[in-house]
Amino acid sequence: IITRAQLPIKKTRDAEIIIFKFNNEPKEYFCILIGKNCKNNQSNFSPTVRIHSQCVTGDIFHSLKCDCGEQLDKSLDIMVKNGEGVLIYLPQEGRDIGLTNKIRAYKLQEDGLDTVDANLTLGFRDDERSYDVAVSMLKKLNFRKINLISNNPNKIKKLNEDGLKILNVIKLKIKPNEINKNYINTKKNRSDHIFD
């Protein structure tokens, strides 16, 4: 942990930001803690956690091509409603292929490929992300048992393998729009994401 400070946000004033350094990597990692149980690192407390990968187009510009911004927004709503939560925001743009390659993948999608085939065509796996940093951050905060907000079974599997205990999985219901319906169907049919 490098530094921490109170960070009142639009959804709640009861929030704190913590900046982490991981193995001297140049990347900056951070999380937002909501509620006193999370901020005070209560022992045996199992927080509601969202591990969110950066999506400039969705999180900032509310792109209609994906559901990332909506997932972030709904996750924060759940935490505020529960009065507790940990949002880990990972610098893993485009499933960790970077913004430039994500836009290249968008162009391939305009030419008819789905998100999986677009990534494969660019020489990447369907999903390049890892969650070891997120697990280290949670362990540093003394959280080893969590309630996870996710529709991604692969994320759940990787977190369990890295030593976190997932007590409950909270699924996000996202209503597709006319533009992202194929993207969401690809998540369901090719990446096994669960939306029901």
Side-chain angles (χ1 to χ4, degrees), residues 51-64:
I51 299 171
H52 189 85
S53 296
Q54 172 184 307
C55 177
V56 167
T57 49
D59 297 343
I60 299 173
F61 299 111
H62 311 292
S63 164
L64 297 175

Side-chain angles (χ1 to χ4, degrees), residues 23-72:
N23 291 345
N24 291 319
E25 287 183 18
K27 289 181 181 178
E28 292 180 309
Y29 296 95
F30 71 90
C31 71
I32 306 287
L33 303 184
I34 291 171
K36 66 178 183 349
N37 285 336
C38 289
K39 293 195 288 186
N40 296 338
N41 297 33
Q42 300 288 325
S43 60
N44 297 320
F45 178 70
S46 303
T48 303
V49 175
R50 168 73 184 168
I51 299 171
H52 189 85
S53 296
Q54 172 184 307
C55 177
V56 167
T57 49
D59 297 343
I60 299 173
F61 299 111
H62 311 292
S63 164
L64 297 175
K65 290 177 71 72
C66 67
D67 61 343
C68 304
E70 282 184 80
Q71 288 192 51
L72 178 61

Side-chain angles (χ1 to χ4, degrees), residues 45-171:
F45 178 70
S46 303
T48 303
V49 175
R50 168 73 184 168
I51 299 171
H52 189 85
S53 296
Q54 172 184 307
C55 177
V56 167
T57 49
D59 297 343
I60 299 173
F61 299 111
H62 311 292
S63 164
L64 297 175
K65 290 177 71 72
C66 67
D67 61 343
C68 304
E70 282 184 80
Q71 288 192 51
L72 178 61
D73 198 51
K74 287 191 174 191
S75 296
L76 285 169
D77 285 343
I78 289 168
M79 293 177 193
V80 170
K81 185 179 177 184
N82 291 349
E84 56 83 14
V86 180
L87 171 71
I88 295 178
Y89 197 88
L90 296 177
Q92 298 189 143
E93 183 76 41
R95 297 183 187 167
D96 210 20
I97 66 173
L99 182 59
T100 299
N101 285 315
K102 181 169 91 168
I103 303 308
R104 287 179 176 139
Y106 278 3
K107 180 60 182 154
L108 291 172
Q109 289 166 50
E110 288 172 13
D111 297 335
L113 297 184
D114 65 21
T115 48
V116 171
D117 286 335
N119 278 20
L120 296 175
T121 298
L122 291 171
F124 300 104
R125 292 173 293 178
D126 166 29
D127 193 337
E128 293 281 343
R129 291 175 293 182
S130 68
Y131 302 103
D132 54 335
V133 176
V135 171
S136 294
M137 290 164 74
L138 286 165
K139 287 181 176 177
K140 192 72 178 173
L141 295 169
N142 296 319
F143 298 134
R144 285 174 168 76
K145 297 178 182 178
I146 65 169
N147 301 300
L148 183 70
I149 302 173
S150 181
N151 297 342
N152 183 350
N154 187 47
K155 183 186 289 186
I156 296 161
K157 179 174 174 280
K158 285 184 176 179
L159 292 175
N160 279 323
E161 287 171 355
D162 286 341
L164 272 186
K165 187 170 178 59
I166 313 295
L167 301 176
N168 297 296
V169 177
I170 302 158
K171 294 184 180 64

